[in-house]
């Protein structure tokens, strides 16, 4: 039987994920600090709630899709937070990309109220969210994972339990290293080819068919061809992830020299006022450096 699901955080990702749950026949209670996406979901059939506490009171499964660690801490443990409304037995899946250390801390605080938490960050971008084909990387206890799996299957296609709470987050950070470095490598390669006078469309077709081919190349192809970089996944958010990665790497004693350089490039993009662009726009900085802009 369809369960009542709470959904907090209706941004670029949360909105389509919540809509897919509605389409699958689930009863949804939604909340966001912005009014517009709440109204949009209400029109599509969701009930609305004024606070995370109210959401928690009304649902059996609760999902959050928020920007960063402090947002999740606030929504889960702050005033009028999930902790104040949750009943024992509530299953809570945080699908945001946040610090795995913070996930573990929030999980411990909620466990005292009988809430069973998973961290379940995603990869696949806005398109993956709309199409319901995200890769969902899950940390938490196996029985909680089994209980929520049919709900994850509405939003994602590749759903993997990696271990206990926090392991979803560690996996997502590994994912974000690969994507940031890959997009920077694409930026360097395409800038070199641009100065050499190559046709970008032919170049991308040739590269896409060999070992250099990647999901990044496929999904960002249209951006590179148009030279326009509307998000997508914002540089600001990926910069946030690079911060989480370097913080975690320091804690675990792992030098990440290439990622550190990429983090500085993303920092420069923000200084130049490009933080709101898609992360594939790292190419624009490399073109600037090469005197190959526009
Ligand atoms: P977004 O900024 O578009 O959405 C976040 C939403 O959370 C906003 O609607 C905001 O109003 C709401 N919010 C923030 N604080 C709140 C609070 N205290 N109470 C209620 N609502 C609050 O971000 P997004 O792109 O949807 O990303 C969400 C998460 O998913 C991030 O952690 C991001 O790193 C991750 N992610 C994003 C993508 C992508 O392509 N956009 C892909 C994979 C993972």
């Amino acid at each position: 039987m369809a369960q009542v699901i709470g959904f907090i955080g209706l941004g670029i990702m949360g909105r389509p994920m919540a809509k897919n749950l509605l389409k699958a026949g689930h009863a949804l209670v939604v909340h966001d600090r912005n009014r517009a996406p709440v109204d949009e979901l209400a029109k599509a059939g969701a009930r609305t709630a004024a606070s995370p506490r109210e959401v928690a009171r009304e649902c059996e499964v609760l999902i959050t899709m928020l920007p960063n660690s402090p947002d999740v801490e606030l929504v889960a443990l702050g005033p009028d937070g999930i902790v104040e409304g949750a009943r024992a037995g509530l299953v809570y899946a945080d699908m945001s990309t946040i610090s795995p250390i913070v996930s573990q801390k929030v999980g411990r605080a909620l466990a005292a109220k009988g809430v069973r938490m998973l961290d379940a960050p995603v990869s696949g971008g806005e398109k993956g969210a709309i199409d319901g084909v995200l890769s969902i990387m899950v940390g938490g206890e196996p029985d909680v994972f089994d209980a929520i799996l049919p709900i994850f299957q509405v939003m994602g296609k590749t759903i993997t339990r990696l271990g206990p709470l926090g392991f979803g987050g560690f996996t997502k950070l590994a994912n974000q290293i690969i994507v940031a470095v890959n997009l920077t490598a694409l930026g360097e390669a395409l800038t070199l080819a641009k100065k050499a006078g190559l046709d970008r469309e032919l170049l991308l077709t040739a590269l896409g068919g060999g070992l250099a081919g990647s999901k990044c190349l496929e999904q960002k192809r249209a951006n590179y061809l148009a030279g326009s970089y509307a998000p997508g996944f914002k540089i600001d958010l990926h910069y946030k992830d690079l911060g989480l990665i370097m913080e975690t790497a320091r804690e675990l004693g792992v030098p990440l020299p290439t990622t550190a350089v990429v983090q500085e490039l993303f920092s420069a993009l923000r200084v130049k006022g490009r933080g709101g662009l898609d992360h594939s726009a790292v190419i624009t900085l490399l073109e600037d450096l090469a005197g190959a802009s526009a």
Side-chain angles (χ1 to χ4, degrees), residues 156-243:
K157 194 165 127 199
T158 306
I159 300 150
T160 317
R161 181 185 165 269
L162 286 306
L165 181 61
F167 277 38
F170 288 123
T171 309
K172 174 67 184 181
L173 297 188
N175 183 87
Q176 293 303 77
I177 293 174
I178 295 166
V179 174
V181 172
N182 197 340
L183 290 175
T184 305
L186 273 163
E188 291 193 357
L190 298 193
T191 301
L192 177 84
K194 184 176 184 177
K195 277 204 103 169
L198 271 78
D199 179 281
R200 185 163 281 181
E201 190 161 11
L202 289 175
L203 173 77
L204 286 169
T205 302
L207 294 176
L211 192 55
S214 68
K215 278 247 168 67
C216 285
L217 187 153
E218 274 167 39
Q219 287 200 12
K220 305 303 180 185
R221 182 185 168 98
N223 291 4
Y224 292 130
L225 290 179
S228 80
Y229 300 96
F233 187 63
K234 292 187 193 115
I235 282 167
D236 282 340
L237 278 178
H238 210 143
Y239 183 70
K240 174 264 296 183
D241 292 349
L242 288 163

